[in-house]
Structures are given as C-alpha cells and as structure tokens.
Amino acid sequence: MSNHTEPDVVVIGGGVVGGAIALGLARSGARVTMLDEGDAAFRASRGNFALVWVQSKGFGMPEYAMWSRRSADDWHGLATILGEETGIDVAHSQPGGFMLCLSQDELGKRVDAMHRLHNQTTLTDFPYEVLDHAETKRRLPDIGKDVVGAIYSPLDGHVNSLKLFRALREATTRRGVDYRPNCPVESITPRDGGFRINGPWGEIATAKVVLAAGLGNARLAPMVGLDAPVKPSKGQIIVTEKTAPFLHNPMVTVRQTDEGGVMIGDSQEDRGFDTVVGQPILSVMAERAVRMFPRLAGLNVVRTWSALRVMSPDGFPIYDQSLSCPGAFVVTCHSGVTLAANHVLTLAPAILSGVLPDAVASFSARRFHV
Amino acid sequence: MSETRTDRDAKTGRGAHSAATLSFSFDGRRLIGRDGDTVAASLLANGVTVCRETPVSGAPRAPYCLMGVCFECLVVIDGVGNRQGCMVPLRDGMTIETQHGRRQPEETQG
C-alpha cells in the first residue's frame, strides 16, 4: 500500500474512542488515517450500554468526576455537531438518571458510597438526591413494590450508541479521514522523529500516532514507550422487543432506547477474553429488572449478548504522551460513550497541539508506578 | 422446539403431500396450512406479503430468513404480540394477526 501523502496523525482503532479522536483531529485541520482492526475486534463500541453517566464516578479520583461531568455538559454540543455534519440524530438526552435499590441494605450502601465520593473534595455542583419509595414512584410510576428507593442525579443521560458509532464514522469520512478497515497493527517503530506502522496490509509513516485500540492498547503501548495495562471486564446485556415509550430516564441497569427496546445490563465478570453469554448471570439481571419494573415481565427478549469493557487497574482512563517517543499518545477508557464529547472537543485538539491539557494530568499511567 | 415437517419427512421418508391440513386465521381471514410448517411458512404459502409494520419507520415487512435471525416475521399469535413466526409451528385454530409497530405497554403487563 503506497501512500504519497503522509498523514499528520494515524489513529489506531476505529471504534467510538478512535472515531471521536479522529473527528476532533480532522475538525482541527489534521490529515488523519484511521486503522481499524475490523470486525474481528472485540469492539466495545458495538456492545455497550450507551449511558452518558456521571453520578457514581470518581471515587478514588475526583478528577474523573470532573472529567465525566465536563463531557456530559459538552455532549449537547457534540450531538448538535454530529447532527449538522451527518444528518444523523444520535438520540442524546440528559433527563437525569436513577440508581434503583431493591433493599434497605443496597440503598444504605449506595448512600454511603455517594457520601464518600462527595467527601473527597469540592464536588460541589454535583447534585444528587436520595429518594424513598414514594418519591421514586412519583417520578417513575412504573416501579414495582420492591424498589425501596433510589439515587437520582440530573447530570445523567444516554444516547443511541450504535447511531453514535455510525455518526462518528460518517462524520470522519465527510471530514476526509482516510478510514482503513481490516488493518490490524503488528508493529509501531519510532523512526526519524515519527513512526512507521506495519501490518499484513503494508506500512504507513506518520508524525503522530494515537493508540485508541481498546484492549489492543495493552500490546501496542510498549512499542512506543507507553503503558496501558488494560484488561477485559465482561458485561452481559439483554434487549427486549420494541415497546411504546414508558421509561424516559435511564437507570444504571435498565434503559429504554429511543426506538423502544428495553436494555437490561451492568453485569461485571472477570473472565478474560471469554464472551460467552450465560443463563446464571442473565437470569439474575432479568429478575432484578422485573422487580424494578414489573411491566417488563410481559416483554419478549429479542437478543442477549456480551461485550468486554476496557478496564485499567483502577478503572479510570489512561491518557498519556510518550516521554521517549514524543508524538505517540494513548487514549483508553471504559466510558468511550460518556467521554466522547471530551475526546472530540478537548482531547483531540490538545493531541494535535502536542501538549495534553491539565485536566487530564491525573490520567497518566505513571500513577500505576508510584 | 417441536418437530417440523422436514425433520419428520427425513425420518419417515414421506413427502410433503402426506402432511395433515390445519385451519388458522390471519387478520380474520380463514386460511389453510400444513401440519409441520411454521407460522411464517404458512403465511408465505398463502400468499401473504406483509406480516408486520416496523416500529420505527412503519415500513411493511414479510418473513425473510426463516431461521430465527432477522426478526422480520414478527406477528401476533393468539393475542401475544411480536412472536417470531418462523420459530413457531402452526397449530390448528391459531389466530394470527399483523404486528402493527410496537406493542403498547398495557399489552405487555406480565
């Protein structure tokens, strides 16, 4: 594959994270090539739960709460940009989100967790409410009697993440990004102040490279003096037939999509790269969901699937520029949907300028080696 | 999953001509099907070209893959909406109706 015009930046990874970075770079005027492993990739972008979620994030790193909040705020702008550039409505909304609890013990633990989160630092302006059954029922008339209460935050929302994935692909294409499918990367070699990237498809040279390859970042990062010790965390999801709208807010484990299907999710298992879907987990998820919303019992299940979250050792994102090979960046997180607005509007322009912003200083992988 | 005609024919060596006749209705019309056929196959055999309207755009659809994957053959069977017609063996006396878009929430009370 000969390439006479070398791109300014090569983004490795064609999912929601890579697509968001590529869009942000292209909007800043960069010539971008995106190398996508293809449909063999694990692709969390295809299997995620599609929340734009803030309320429970940042325990152990308040900067992550701030970063998530910033992206949730900026998501309105991103949705507008995607709509204008592609004509695709990604069905983003921020109606506020609930975490429903099915026992006093559960609710007590959630309330404690929220107190600990908010005691860390000045997380002022991170509003949330603790609701009892009656108040939850007033706001969500369909809840069942087993719901003892809820945590509510007006900051939470959701999106149609498949439409987001498609819109990012469409927007980057329209912005002239050279998208190359079926291009797994075997090696990245620092050379002449830039990089040569090789795979079975050939070779490409570039001044800057961004690793946005999800679980693949663990293997790629050491090639350019970076560290991305990410591991898979399996989540299973159930989706029902499309039904008339009755849930206007997302829960952390149940949401109704813009098209009417109800998604039930948020299991977590450490099973390596196994993506088998299993009844033990699904049945617990389904049973809890039906206790939350008895109406769900009458719906047909259409599909179940699993996907692998991209988890760092502490669960927070990793954003770094290589010290030994400047111009090489890693961008990896398990909340590529929530953080998409930051990636397009804040991180990508900073990558092009060559200096990561102060807002992400805490997300360097150097934190794992102190 | 109960036995379909092809399974039985394979075992007995008998052809389709020996299948028993079943009576069913589609949107109130009396139709005839064959024992061992699925609901979707029976609709196609009766010349039905639209069995549902999609929930999102309202586009008309008919059975397509006949193997449980495409979800184009959704119909109302004996009052239960959004059933996959290609996964349900036809039974005598079944009442089958076009699936018009989404089921309404009051229809899904478990």
Side-chain angles (χ1 to χ4, degrees):
Chain A
M1 194 182 291
S2 67
N3 190 356
H4 300 297
T5 52
E6 191 179 294
D8 301 315
V9 192
V10 168
V11 176
I12 301 175
V16 162
V17 173
I21 295 293
L23 178 58
L25 291 168
R27 284 172 53 84
S28 305
R31 288 169 306 161
V32 183
T33 294
M34 207 180 345
L35 301 177
D36 189 6
E37 183 181 0
D39 286 339
F42 285 108
R43 270 237 210 289
S45 306
R46 275 189 313 216
N48 64 76
F49 201 62
L51 295 172
V52 178
W53 199 257
V54 179
Q55 69 164 264
S56 50
K57 289 180 174 168
F59 183 67
M61 191 189 278
E63 295 85 352
Y64 184 47
M66 313 280 187
W67 184 241
S68 300
R69 166 80 199 256
R70 174 180 180 152
S71 200
D73 289 345
D74 284 353
W75 236 109
H76 299 276
L78 175 61
T80 302
I81 288 167
L82 292 171
E84 285 170 353
E85 300 211 358
T86 68
I88 297 168
D89 177 0
V90 296
H92 167 254
S93 70
Q94 190 182 25
F98 293 81
M99 186 172 282
L100 301 185
C101 297
L102 293 171
S103 70
Q104 284 300 342
D105 182 49
E106 247 181 72
L107 185 60
K109 284 187 177 141
R110 286 309 320 160
V111 171
D112 285 350
M114 293 302 279
H115 284 157
R116 289 202 309 275
L117 178 63
H118 284 252
N119 284 342
Q120 293 180 117
T121 176
T122 51
L123 284 188
T124 49
D125 203 29
F126 276 72
Y128 75 95
E129 296 170 82
V130 181
L131 312 177
D132 62 8
H133 172 86
E135 183 56 25
T136 308
K137 180 114 185 142
R138 198 183 65 75
R139 302 187 192 191
L140 295 171
D142 287 295
I143 60 163
K145 62 176 175 27
D146 290 358
V147 177
V148 301
I151 311 282
Y152 169 81
S153 167
L155 303 177
D156 299 316
H158 56 162
V159 67
N160 183 318
S161 61
L162 294 178
K163 288 181 182 170
L164 166 64
F165 190 18
R166 182 170 151 234
L168 287 170
R169 176 68 45 77
E170 180 68 22
T172 48
T173 301
R174 291 193 189 201
R175 286 262 172 190
V177 172
D178 177 15
Y179 170 78
R180 301 188 187 176
N182 307 313
C183 286
V185 169
E186 284 167 345
S187 67
I188 313 171
T189 315
R191 192 178 302 176
D192 309 330
F195 304 90
R196 288 197 176 278
I197 301 167
N198 290 81
W201 39 271
E203 179 179 89
I204 188 170
T206 177
K208 281 196 170 83
V209 60
V210 181
L211 309 186
L215 290 164
N217 286 333
R219 176 180 62 89
L220 298 171
M223 298 176 185
V224 287
L226 287 164
D227 180 32
V230 287
K231 291 208 166 96
S233 160
K234 183 163 97 173
Q236 298 190 34
I237 290 180
I238 298 168
V239 69
T240 73
E241 63 180 288
K242 294 176 174 70
T243 184
F246 74 99
L247 265 187
H248 302 285
N249 303 78
M251 320 294 129
V252 77
T253 57
V254 181
R255 56 178 289 263
Q256 187 171 24
T257 71
D258 57 302
E259 295 184 335
V262 179
M263 293 174 71
I264 299 164
D266 208 37
S267 69
Q268 295 211 25
E269 302 165 83
D270 295 325
R271 292 290 183 87
F273 290 89
D274 151 46
T275 54
V276 171
V277 179
Q279 206 166 2
I281 299 275
L282 293 173
S283 59
V284 170
M285 286 161 49
E287 190 257 352
R288 285 182 57 87
V290 168
R291 285 169 67 201
M292 290 176 183
F293 297 101
R295 153 179 293 168
L296 296 176
L299 289 175
N300 295 307
V301 169
V302 175
R303 294 183 203 281
T304 59
W305 67 83
S306 75
L308 299 176
R309 295 180 189 84
V310 182
M311 292 303 268
S312 63
D314 57 10
F316 303 124
I318 301 173
Y319 303 131
D320 256 334
Q321 177 168 201
S322 173
L323 294 172
S324 57
C325 313
F329 297 81
V330 61
V331 176
T332 196
C333 65
H334 87 272
S335 302
V337 174
T338 297
L339 298 175
N342 284 354
H343 293 163
V344 175
L345 302 168
T346 303
L347 199 60
I351 285 171
L352 199 58
S353 78
V355 183
L356 293 181
D358 289 343
V360 305
S362 321
F363 301 119
S364 165
R366 290 191 288 280
R367 70 184 184 268
F368 303 126
H369 309 290
V370 289
Chain B
M1 174 102 202
S2 63
E3 200 175 50
T4 58
R5 201 183 59 250
T6 40
D7 301 328
R8 219 172 23 243
D9 290 347
K11 278 186 216 158
T12 61
R14 289 192 308 180
H17 61 275
S18 59
T21 297
L22 305 177
S23 160
F24 69 101
S25 72
F26 180 66
D27 288 346
R29 284 194 292 144
R30 304 297 307 163
L31 300 174
I32 299 295
R34 295 182 306 192
D35 187 25
D37 280 357
T38 64
V39 166
S42 306
L43 292 173
L44 290 173
N46 278 280
V48 172
T49 54
V50 177
C51 70
R52 74 173 187 123
E53 289 142 13
T54 64
V56 178
S57 68
R61 295 290 165 86
Y64 178 64
C65 78
L66 298 175
M67 62 183 195
V69 177
C70 77
F71 291 83
E72 297 294 12
C73 64
L74 299 174
V75 284
V76 183
I77 301 177
D78 292 336
V80 180
N82 275 334
R83 307 268 331 258
Q84 284 177 275
C86 75
M87 295 281 104
V88 180
L90 187 69
R91 293 275 170 264
D92 197 51
M94 264 184 175
T95 303
I96 301 164
E97 297 162 279
T98 297
Q99 177 68 52
H100 296 287
R102 296 179 180 93
R103 284 205 285 164
Q104 295 306 302
E106 61 271 16
E107 294 178 59
T108 60
Q109 296 293 359

